[in-house]
Structure formats: C-alpha cells, structure tokens
Amino acid sequence: MAGGLEPHLEALRRELHGPAVLSVLVALIAVAITFLIWRFVQGRRSSRKAVLLLGLCDAGKTLLFARLLSGQYRDTQTSITDSSAVYQVSQDKSTNVTLIDLPGHESLRLQFLERFKAAARAIVFVVDSVAFQREVKDVAEFLYQVLVDSTVLRNAPALLIACNKQDVTMAKSAKLIQQQLEKELNTLRVTRSAAPTSLDGSATGGPAQLGKKGKDFDFSQLPMKVEFVECSARGSKGEEGEADLEALEKWLVKVA
Amino acid sequence: MLDFFTIFSKGGLVLWCFQGVRGPAATAPVNALIRSVLLQERGGNNSFTHEALTLKYKLDNQFELVFVVGFQKILTLTYVDKLIDDVHKEFRDKYRNEFQQKGALGLLNGTFDFKDDFMRLLRDAEESSKVRAPTVMKTFEQSLKSQKTVKCMIETRGEKPKEKVKNKKNKGSKKDGTEAVAVPSKASAADKQLSAAGDKEELTKDEILQKNREEFFRRHMKAGEKSRSPKPDAQKEKGKKPRVWDLGNSNAKVLDYSNSATNGSAEACPVEEFDPDMALGDKNREPGRLYDLEYESDDEAEEEKVVQNPSKPSVKKGGLGGMFGMLKGLVGSKSLTRDDMDPVLEKMKDHLIAKNVAAEIAVQLCESVAKKLEGKVMGTFTTVTSTVKQALQEALVQILQPQRRVDVLRDVMDAQRNRRPYVVTFCGVNGVGKSTNLAKISFWLIENGFSVLIAACDTFRAGAVEQLRTHTRRLNALHPPESHGGRTMVQLYEKGYGKDAAGIAMEAISYARNQGFDVVLVDTAGRMQDNAPLMTALAKLIAVNAPDLVLFVGEALVGNEAVDQLVKFNKALADHSMAQTPRLIDGIVLTKFDTIDDKVGAAISMTYITSKPIVFVGTGQTYCDLRSLNAKAVVAALMKA
C-alpha cells in the first residue's frame, strides 16, 4: 500500500513546489490579517459606546432620558425593561452615544446592570435630591454595588452623580449629597465586607476594597473620574418649560 | 364609568392616558400594580385591587406595551375585558409603524392621538353590555292563563277541559277589563256564566275526592288493570288475616334450623362440590415456600411495546414534515402562542415541583411567565424551550432579589448610635433550628465587635434554657472578655420555665438598654401554625416589644408546608396587632441547607409568599456555618436538569 501512496505523495510534492505554494501562503496570511482586523474593529466598536442611566426607583431616569432625546416632558411610570436610543451629543461633533435607561426597581436593577455593564463608557447615577435624606442608605448600597463590580472596576467608566429634582425647594445640594455619600460608603465598606460569605463561596462584598484602607473614603480614591452635578429633569418652569440639564449635557459632550 | 385608562411602554413612557371625570392621578395605582404584580411574578390573573380601585391590565409582549384600566371597586363592569382587547388591537394596528421602526425614539417623538378612537370603542363596549336588558314581564292579558277558566283547570275524569278555552277567549277579548280585576271575581263571573250556560253540574266535595283517588290509582296501576272499582278496597277491610309469605310455608318444623345433629359432626354436613383448584389457586407452587411480590414490569414493558408500534409508523410519516417544521421554527421570526408554550411550561412546572417548590407557587409562576411571553416575537435560532427557560430563569432571579436593603450590621450601627439595643426575634415551627442559628448569628455579631444579649423566651421546651446557657459559655470561651476590652460579649437573660415569654422579652430589652448591649436576640418556642393560643402569644410578644427585625426560621427541607406556615404566621401577626400597620415577618432564615443538594425550591416558595428577603442561610451546626443567599447560584441549581 505504501507503494501505492508514494507516487501520489511525489505528485503532491511536485505540485507544492512552485508558485502555487506562494499563493496559498499569501491567501492564508490575508485571511489571518482580515480576521485580526475584524476582531479589533469589532472590539473597538462594540466596546463602550453606551451611557447608562442608573438610580433608585423614582429618581427620574426615564424623564431624563426623554428630555435628553426629545426635549419634551412626558409622563412616566415605573420602568420594567430598559430603553435605549442613540443620542447626538452636540451639533458639531458627529459622535453618538447610546443612552440606555435601566429600571431602578430592586428586583430588576442588578440583572440589567449585569447585562449592560460591559458596554458602559460612562455611568450617570441619578439621585433624587428631595428624598435623599430618607433614602441615603439605599442610594449608598446601590452605588456601592455598582462601584465594586469587577467589570466596572476594570473598565473604569466615567461616573457622574446627577442630583435630580433640584426644582423643588427642599432639594439637597450636590455638595451635601457628596459628603453624605462618602460617609455612608465609608461605613458600608466595613459592613459589606463583614457580611456572611455567599453560598457558593464568592464573597458578597467582593474582594475589591473600595478606596484606600485606613483612610476615610473619598470619591477621589476611585479609579474612575467622579463628578457631581445638579440638574432638574422637570425644569423650574413646570412641564411646558425647558429642563435644566446644561451641566449634564456638557459632561456628556466631554465624555463622548 | 372608568376612572382612567393608560397605555404605557414597558420602558416607562406613558404613551396615552384617558382620565375619567372624578379620577385622581393614575400614576400611583399603576405604580402599585407594577410593583406588586408584574415585578413579583404574580401576573397570573389580570386584575388587581388597590384601595378603592380595581385595575385590569393587559400586556403586549410584541411591542412591549402595557394597557391598564382602572375603575371603582364597587362597580362590576362587564365590558372592561372586551374593551381592553379592542383598544389593544386598534392601538397596535394604528401605530404599528412607530413601534416597529424607530424603537424608543419612535415612542418619544410620536404623538398618540387616540382619544376619538377610544371614545368610540368605549361607547361600543358600553352599548354591547346593555344589549341583554332584563326581559319585560308579560302582562296577565297576554298569558295563556287568562284564557282558561278556573273550572277547566280542575281535572275531572272524562271531561275535556280544553273545549272551554275557545268560548272564554271570545268572552275575554270582548271584555275591556284590566288586570286589576282580581282572579276570584273573574272566576266568580266565569262560574256564573258557566252555571248559566249549564255546562257542568256541581259536584260534591266527597265525590270530587273519590274521583281524584280513582284518577290516581288509574295512573299508577300497571297496564291491564285500568279501572278498578272502589269495591275491592272495601273488601280488604273485613278481617285481619295472618300474612302469608310466598316462599315459606306455615310449617314450623321446617323453620327450625337448630338441628343439633348437624352441629359438630362431619357426616351430617352435605358433601359440597369441593374444587381444590379453586381453593388453592396456583397449581405449580411448591408446598411450604413463601414467594416474593411479583413485579409488574413485564406487563408494563409489553404495554409500552404495544404502544410504540403504532406510534412508529406515524413518526416515520411525520418525519419529513416534522423536520421542515422544525427548521421553520428555528429560522425566522414567529410569535409565541399559548399552545406553543403549554407543553414546555408543563414540563417546567413539573421540574420545579420536583425541585421542592410548592405546587401552587409553581403553577402561579408558570402562569405569570406565560403571560409575559405571549405574543413575543422570538429571534432566529431560538427554540420555544430556550425562550421559556430564559424567561423563567429571569423570573426566579427577580423573585430572589431582596425588595429592601439586607444589611443587619448597618442597622445595628444605627441603633448603636441612638444608644438603644437592636432587637431581633426568631419565630418558627418546632425543630427548624432557631436556637442553633441564633447562636451562629450571635457568633457573627461578636466577630464584628457587637455585644449580644440572648433572651431565653422559650419557657416551654425542656432544656431550652440550658441549651442557650451552653452556647453562651462556649461563645464566651471563644471570645473572652480580655480580647474585647474587658467587656463580656455574650450574656444570657433567662427567668426559668413556665413564665410569660412577652414579659421576659420586655425585661431583657430594658436590661440591655441599661447595660449597654448592642443587640438583643430573642429566642421563642417553636409552635405549629394551627395552634391558635400559641400564635396569639407570639403575636402579643411581637406587638408589645416592637422588635427591629422579626425573622422567620424555616428549614429548607419543607415542601408545600412552607406556604401554609408563612401565610398563617403572617396572618396571626396581622390579626393580633393593635397598630395601623402591623409588624409582619421582616426576613427569613433558611436552615439545614446542607441537607438538600439541589432541591432548593423552598427558597423560592418562601420568598414568593412573603416577598421578604432571605437574610441568612444556615448550612451546618458549627458556628461558622452561616451564609448569605446568592440568588444566581440558587437559580442555577434550580434550573439544572
């Protein structure tokens, strides 16, 4: 049988020697390069063109979403799923970002965060400035969960904490909210890492330590840039008027 | 009649709203609807009551819309369901372009001017419900009864009652008498007319009775004995005769069965036909051997073979068509119908029940998932099974996510700042592990630097106080006062057996406040949920002492009982509390989690029923076996095949 094969092998070897080899090699290299380029472009394109709107229930995320996209006031209900749309950041720059409005309800927020966190280029954390005093622990807990997430720590998207509902007189200022959140997150670092470990062994607080050990927690200790702005999705002139979103829009231009 | 009708997208934008005349803003009730029904997977039936309103809703899963109508609870409007369906169809058809093409932007920028169509549909629906008005009663003149005379309604033998009707009809129509004229007067008038006409003689009362009796007999006698004259009746009355039975004769000797000769002697017994085969049964048995139970597997195998054979040719026939059908199902977009989902949901329901989820909860969950998926368009290369499984998994994770913050340490710190102890009460049925898990939780708290007072309010079970004393001694050995700045971290407050538990708890809390303890853990006696006096006592303890956290301890081995236990515990706490908002169970401790490998359904049952989070999970009997719940891991174990 070997004898039968040999002449065939000889023929093959003869075929390979010659210009055919070169063309085959070139073809293979071209395919490889195309593949690499495609992967690279795919990675660039899909990574992180999204701006996530996070926050507790009733913080005003959906209204903010509507105002940014259409400029009009809309009635809203508690969101059950996410909504996403492409947002033109400014007139001259042709860059777009995808605004994604995630539901804030406790049973849904982590699920949707999981889905969209990898694509996040920036995160807008909307805070209800009027109810902040009452909800400070819940706000801090959600913010903590966002900050210790491994994907978020790795990608370090820019974080903006938008203190919404500034049109109401009782609203807290951004500075006060920042101080309170820092204090609360300081405490949460300790309690969450001391919580009983999870069933399958992974710790709930995450091995990530927020900020620097030994020092009080400060937003400047985080790997990502954090800013605080005040805004009002409803607008001080009521429903017909414009929303007060200048600071937010400027930040979006910067980030895009 | 309607208070409001809203159409909004699942993303939260209100597309169109109709406000009834006196209705308040629609947002609050609709938010309540969303939070309690849709987000807790209770979407099985489509109506929901909130304060004074009943809300009915419908989901459009294809375009992600929700239709909600609200009306007063006391009204029962029958046209609401039909109205919702009509509005759904019309709205969807009218604005199909906006939905399909532009997504969220379309919803934002589109104007949904639906008012005229809605008013038209509402009017149609209201009218259709009015069609079946109650029927008007016939007047007396119109009924047949007025055509008959009173006399002709008395049945007499041999008379033809109907012949009178024709005469009466003419006479009745001539009269212009209204119905106000009473029947007796009419009857008397008829009587007078009859007597005048001389159609019938007046019969005496006795003769009427006789005639009726004869009628009765005639009707109930068998054929052949039609007319019996009353005379044979009279004959029987003459004398009393002894009753003669057909089968017996009046021979007393024959009736005497007490023949002493036959008792006890074998010969006198008549020789029967003794069939040994019938008595012994199996001819082939070995004498004296005890056989095993025969399994019926052979019969079953035969049955299966028999069943399979006819099914095989049908499978072959449907093979080609089935293959193409499968391909058709994979590629392209088709929307899910109830029929597609039903077999898959049945299987999922059985799977959940096999994993120890309570049966009624599994049913409700599957219903809710079906409602969420109906009409949804599947993407390419997704089967019905995978879509349903995905949806079910999301629903389960949603249920297990806590609805409120679960951070005991944070709350203890808060209470510490206010210089008052943080009180935790453990309740549950007998033998679930309250005392063991109490010890574990106190160990965890001590590790974090809080001092604990254990209140032994189990004054019934023998050895309960000693058990807690042993735990206290062990914990103090593990964390001696020297390593915590001279402070005893754990102390036991007990008053022996037989005393009132609520009183001991109150004393323990004030003792803790005076001595500066951070946490008070109150251990109560186990009690069955049906035991009314004990449930009252527990409710009293909780209502009087107002603990910060009421934990229900339940074991993971429990099956359908979990539903009953939690419902009855909550009900007892609600009934016996004086306050406006009664203290209910705040959290669940799931114990003995190491005894189940992946039959973790009890977690789902408990959180679904109470919608309260699982705060701790107990996985053993040592002090370190305390865990927190990981929703994803539990759901993964649940969905594993």
Side-chain angles (χ1 to χ4, degrees):
Chain A
M1 298 309 111
L5 275 176
E6 270 203 7
H8 290 284
L9 285 172
E10 275 299 312
L12 213 61
R13 233 174 269 139
R14 235 177 288 129
E15 285 283 322
L16 284 177
H17 284 299
V21 178
L22 208 56
S23 45
V24 167
L25 279 176
V26 168
L28 281 173
I29 289 174
V31 167
I33 290 180
T34 321
F35 186 63
L36 282 170
I37 290 178
W38 179 70
R39 281 293 288 274
F40 184 61
V41 168
Q42 186 75 286
R44 274 305 295 275
R45 221 189 305 129
S46 69
S47 92
R48 328 212 287 122
K49 283 279 284 187
V51 174
L52 306 182
L53 287 175
L54 301 174
L56 291 188
C57 237
D58 280 344
K61 304 179 288 298
T62 310
L63 183 56
L64 211 59
F65 181 75
R67 280 289 202 187
L68 280 174
L69 285 174
S70 74
Q72 297 161 9
Y73 175 83
R74 302 298 290 261
D75 277 323
T76 56
Q77 299 287 155
T78 311
S79 318
I80 312 175
T81 59
D82 57 298
S83 341
S84 61
V86 174
Y87 172 63
Q88 192 89 29
V89 165
S90 63
Q91 304 302 92
D92 42 343
K93 264 182 159 182
S94 63
T95 45
N96 299 336
V97 284
T98 317
L99 270 184
I100 305 185
D101 168 35
L102 302 181
H105 196 265
E106 295 86 8
S107 37
L108 294 175
R109 56 167 86 136
L110 289 178
Q111 260 179 314
F112 281 96
L113 183 63
E114 283 287 303
R115 234 185 274 173
F116 290 101
K117 62 186 178 183
R121 184 202 220 101
I123 295 181
V124 178
F125 194 91
V126 186
V127 174
D128 182 348
S129 318
V130 179
F132 181 71
Q133 207 58 40
R134 212 178 348 121
E135 291 177 345
V136 59
K137 291 199 207 110
D138 299 304
V139 175
E141 161 136 2
F142 189 23
L143 192 57
Y144 182 84
Q145 282 170 334
V146 173
L147 289 175
V148 296
D149 191 85
S150 47
T151 320
V152 170
L153 281 177
R154 192 181 43 218
N155 291 341
L159 178 64
L160 176 76
I161 302 198
C163 307
N164 200 11
K165 306 202 185 176
Q166 290 292 329
D167 50 297
V168 183
T169 40
M170 297 296 290
K172 304 278 178 291
S173 67
K175 215 163 191 42
L176 185 70
I177 290 180
Q178 181 172 1
Q179 285 170 356
Q180 296 245 352
L181 276 179
E182 282 174 352
K183 247 195 293 181
E184 194 62 35
L185 283 170
N186 201 17
T187 328
L188 269 184
R189 281 196 299 179
V190 175
T191 59
R192 288 308 291 261
S193 53
T197 53
S198 182
L199 272 176
D200 60 354
S202 64
T204 43
Q209 173 66 262
L210 212 55
K212 301 202 178 57
K213 263 195 202 173
K215 288 214 286 199
D216 273 344
F217 175 75
D218 210 311
F219 277 109
S220 52
Q221 297 167 7
L222 289 174
M224 65 263 293
K225 279 201 331 165
V226 183
E227 277 186 42
F228 279 79
V229 291
E230 297 184 358
C231 65
S232 164
R234 181 174 283 220
S236 34
K237 299 175 202 79
E239 298 172 9
E240 311 305 322
E242 285 287 313
D244 188 12
L245 296 176
E246 281 181 45
L248 179 61
E249 285 168 345
K250 259 191 272 183
W251 183 84
L252 279 172
V253 173
K254 215 180 0 165
V255 149
Chain B
M1 297 290 221
L2 301 179
D3 267 20
F4 64 83
F5 193 108
T6 21
I7 306 176
F8 58 95
S9 73
K10 281 193 185 175
L13 289 167
V14 173
L15 299 175
W16 183 80
C17 180
F18 165 75
Q19 203 77 32
V21 178
R22 65 189 129 74
T27 40
V30 180
N31 272 337
L33 169 77
I34 296 174
R35 281 185 208 172
S36 43
V37 174
L38 296 177
L39 287 175
Q40 288 184 18
E41 299 297 323
R42 284 172 217 270
N45 65 333
N46 70 337
S47 89
F48 169 72
T49 7
H50 173 80
E51 292 170 14
L53 291 174
T54 308
L55 295 161
K56 282 201 186 235
Y57 65 92
K58 187 160 198 266
L59 298 172
D60 180 341
N61 297 311
Q62 194 183 1
F63 299 122
E64 312 249 303
L65 303 171
V66 186
F67 297 79
V68 181
V69 62
F71 51 94
Q72 292 293 315
K73 190 163 59 173
I74 45 179
L75 298 173
T76 45
L77 299 174
T78 48
Y79 58 81
V80 172
D81 288 318
K82 187 172 170 304
L83 177 67
I84 292 187
D85 290 333
D86 292 336
V87 170
H88 174 199
K89 258 187 273 188
E90 181 116 2
F91 193 82
R92 194 182 52 187
D93 295 331
K94 192 170 175 188
Y95 297 108
R96 193 176 273 271
N97 295 329
E98 268 98 342
F99 300 144
Q100 272 176 340
Q101 286 166 12
K102 305 182 210 158
L105 275 175
L107 295 178
L108 276 174
N109 296 326
T111 49
F112 296 91
D113 190 14
F114 198 62
K115 179 142 189 175
D116 302 323
D117 301 295
F118 177 73
M119 296 312 287
R120 177 180 37 96
L121 286 170
L122 183 61
R123 242 178 296 124
D124 292 339
E126 280 175 352
E127 274 169 24
S128 69
S129 75
K130 284 189 199 142
V131 165
R132 280 175 283 108
T135 51
V136 182
M137 283 172 53
K138 289 196 284 190
T139 62
F140 184 70
E141 293 284 323
Q142 295 167 354
S143 68
L144 274 181
K145 201 168 182 185
S146 63
Q147 318 298 338
K148 300 184 186 173
T149 66
V150 177
K151 270 276 165 63
C152 74
M153 286 194 269
I154 301 174
E155 286 186 332
T156 55
R157 198 158 49 107
E159 292 281 344
K160 285 204 199 105
K162 294 285 178 184
E163 59 184 320
K164 307 286 178 260
V165 181
K166 266 191 229 157
N167 299 336
K168 273 289 89 189
K169 234 191 217 170
N170 297 334
K171 288 180 183 154
S173 59
K174 276 186 201 162
K175 274 196 208 165
D176 276 10
T178 60
E179 307 81 69
V181 178
V183 175
S185 60
K186 206 166 186 167
S188 55
D191 274 346
K192 282 188 205 138
Q193 288 185 337
L194 277 177
S195 52
D199 287 335
K200 239 196 292 188
E201 321 141 10
E202 289 268 306
L203 298 169
T204 62
K205 210 175 176 182
D206 295 323
E207 286 186 277
I208 294 173
L209 273 174
Q210 193 75 352
K211 283 205 175 118
N212 286 342
R213 212 183 279 139
E214 283 162 21
E215 279 282 334
F216 177 74
F217 281 134
R218 181 159 48 91
R219 265 196 241 122
H220 288 265
M221 278 304 137
K222 296 212 194 304
E225 287 183 288
K226 282 251 162 124
S227 56
R228 221 204 240 181
S229 57
K231 287 186 189 150
D233 293 351
Q235 238 183 20
K236 284 225 171 110
E237 301 293 316
K238 278 201 180 145
K240 258 194 165 175
K241 279 209 176 144
R243 204 177 272 274
V244 174
W245 296 103
D246 299 324
L247 294 178
N249 38 23
S250 41
N251 196 347
K253 208 164 116 191
V254 178
L255 291 173
D256 183 15
Y257 285 100
S258 61
N259 199 343
S260 54
T262 56
N263 275 344
S265 63
E267 298 86 17
C269 185
V271 177
E272 303 165 2
E273 298 285 320
F274 177 58
D275 187 10
D277 292 329
M278 210 167 67
L280 281 179
D282 191 1
K283 290 189 191 133
N284 301 327
R285 61 184 280 277
E286 289 175 21
R289 184 179 157 183
L290 197 62
Y291 282 79
D292 300 319
L293 268 182
E294 273 183 24
Y295 290 109
E296 299 181 8
S297 53
D298 297 328
D299 300 335
E300 278 174 7
E302 279 179 42
E303 279 177 41
E304 280 176 14
K305 278 183 217 153
V306 166
V307 169
Q308 266 173 16
N309 282 331
S311 68
K312 265 187 202 156
S314 63
V315 165
K316 280 211 182 108
K317 241 195 294 176
L320 272 179
M323 216 161 56
F324 279 128
M326 199 177 67
L327 280 177
K328 225 191 301 175
L330 281 182
V331 179
S333 55
K334 75 181 197 127
S335 62
L336 284 172
T337 59
R338 207 55 203 268
D339 299 321
D340 296 334
M341 291 195 287
D342 268 343
V344 184
L345 280 175
E346 271 298 308
K347 247 197 305 160
M348 292 316 300
K349 185 184 78 158
D350 292 333
H351 176 81
L352 284 178
I353 293 180
K355 292 275 185 170
N356 205 19
V357 179
E360 46 188 72
I361 290 176
V363 168
Q364 280 181 29
L365 257 178
C366 289
E367 265 304 306
S368 170
V369 169
K371 274 266 168 64
K372 256 204 317 192
L373 286 179
E374 223 170 303
K376 190 165 184 161
V377 175
M378 295 194 299
T380 57
F381 290 115
T382 52
T383 56
V384 181
T385 321
S386 66
T387 322
V388 172
K389 271 204 182 148
Q390 178 76 14
L392 191 61
Q393 195 158 1
E394 283 171 12
L396 288 170
V397 173
Q398 216 174 294
I399 290 175
L400 284 179
Q401 293 286 4
Q403 302 273 337
R404 62 177 190 81
R405 215 168 36 90
V406 171
D407 198 350
V408 178
L409 290 177
R410 187 74 192 78
D411 297 331
V412 174
M413 275 189 195
D414 255 358
Q416 207 179 23
R417 210 174 302 149
N418 296 338
R419 292 178 196 286
R420 59 174 183 80
Y422 189 78
V423 182
V424 184
T425 312
F426 293 81
C427 62
V429 302
N430 314 62
V432 291
K434 289 185 288 302
S435 305
T436 313
N437 282 284
L438 186 147
K440 285 190 226 167
I441 290 173
S442 48
F443 179 74
W444 173 64
L445 286 169
I446 295 170
E447 295 252 286
N448 281 302
F450 298 110
S451 55
V452 178
L453 179 72
I454 300 180
C457 295
D458 183 353
T459 53
F460 172 71
R461 203 194 77 194
V465 178
E466 280 76 14
Q467 178 183 16
L468 289 174
R469 193 173 290 131
T470 312
H471 277 304
T472 315
R473 218 177 298 131
R474 278 199 205 148
L475 287 171
N476 273 327
L478 284 171
H479 284 271
E482 297 82 43
S483 56
H484 289 270
R487 202 162 56 127
T488 10
M489 295 307 279
V490 165
Q491 214 175 322
L492 177 68
Y493 188 91
E494 54 95 2
K495 289 279 186 215
Y497 294 96
K499 308 272 174 32
D500 174 37
I504 298 180
M506 189 153 30
E507 290 169 27
I509 293 172
S510 48
Y511 178 79
R513 197 176 303 124
N514 294 338
Q515 301 290 322
F517 280 97
D518 300 317
V519 189
V520 178
L521 299 178
V522 177
D523 185 23
T524 60
R527 59 204 76 211
M528 291 305 291
Q529 67 270 21
D530 295 327
N531 194 331
L534 291 183
M535 294 307 294
T536 319
L538 177 70
K540 181 180 133 202
L541 190 151
I542 289 176
V544 162
N545 293 306
D548 295 296
L549 195 63
V550 178
L551 288 179
F552 176 84
V553 184
E555 54 185 7
L557 298 156
V558 76
N560 292 322
E561 261 292 283
V563 173
D564 197 42
Q565 282 176 11
L566 278 167
V567 164
K568 293 226 176 98
F569 264 81
N570 263 335
K571 194 159 160 306
L573 289 182
D575 287 343
H576 299 287
S577 145
M578 295 299 141
Q580 281 282 59
T581 49
R583 290 301 308 276
L584 297 177
I585 291 171
D586 294 321
I588 299 170
V589 179
L590 196 61
T591 61
K592 304 184 191 169
F593 205 77
D594 50 327
T595 55
I596 53 175
D597 4 302
D598 57 349
K599 297 202 192 310
V600 294
I604 298 285
S605 317
M606 291 196 203
T607 35
Y608 188 88
I609 279 291
T610 52
S611 43
K612 293 289 189 289
I614 292 182
V615 183
F616 297 111
V617 179
T619 52
Q621 299 198 35
T622 69
Y623 290 131
C624 300
D625 292 323
L626 191 66
R627 301 266 179 275
S628 67
L629 188 75
N630 183 346
K632 275 197 232 110
V634 168
V635 173
L638 205 58
M639 299 295 291
K640 196 168 65 169

